Amino acid sequence: MALDTNAIVEQLKDASILELNDLVKAIEEEFGVSAAAPVAAAAGAGEAGAAAKDSFDVELSEVGQEKVKVIKAVREITGLGLKDAKGLVDGAPSVVKEGATEDEANKIKEDLEAVGATVTLK
């Protein structure tokens, strides 16, 4: 049995939105498929990719009121010398640590926020 594709397309052109909706539902039920499956699969893949993030960049967004304390904290975190740590803090927003694990990034964030800085994890 051959399908007359042109006749089917012509019938679909003449159908109302409600008729097309009923057609989609009937096809889904008859063949056990879903018209929304590709969209759901793509959304699920995006969520899985976000959940699987294993490295974070810790960015010093704002220094706050205690600049000296922030410089000291940056020195401890990065191992930089005073001049380099001061340059990093003065250049905010700047990345303090790249490729940190989630636990390490959260610890750095806590340490910097404890001295009044604003930190963003990326």
Side-chain angles (χ1 to χ4, degrees):
M1 174 200 248
L3 290 177
D4 186 1
T5 308
N6 291 334
I8 294 171
V9 170
E10 288 302 317
Q11 286 180 333
L12 291 175
K13 284 181 185 179
D14 295 334
S16 70
I17 298 295
L18 292 176
E19 290 172 325
L20 292 173
N21 187 40
D22 290 342
L23 175 64
V24 170
K25 286 181 183 178
I27 291 172
E28 287 176 340
E29 289 175 14
E30 180 68 28
F31 297 107
V33 296
S34 174
V39 175
E47 291 170 8
K53 185 171 183 175
D54 58 355
S55 67
F56 297 85
D57 293 343
V58 181
E59 180 183 83
L60 175 65
S61 303
E62 293 181 28
V63 177
Q65 299 294 322
E66 301 289 334
K67 183 177 177 179
V68 173
K69 290 181 181 179
V70 174
I71 292 171
K72 287 181 182 180
V74 168
R75 286 187 68 197
E76 289 176 17
I77 293 165
T78 62
L80 293 173
L82 179 61
K83 182 179 179 181
D84 293 332
K86 183 180 182 306
L88 190 140
V89 170
D90 287 341
S94 55
V95 176
V96 175
K97 177 92 176 184
E98 291 181 350
T101 63
E102 183 177 6
D103 293 337
E104 184 181 18
N106 286 327
K107 172 76 170 111
I108 293 169
K109 182 178 179 181
E110 284 178 23
D111 292 346
L112 290 172
E113 287 178 344
V115 293
T118 304
V119 179
T120 305
L121 298 180
K122 294 184 176 184

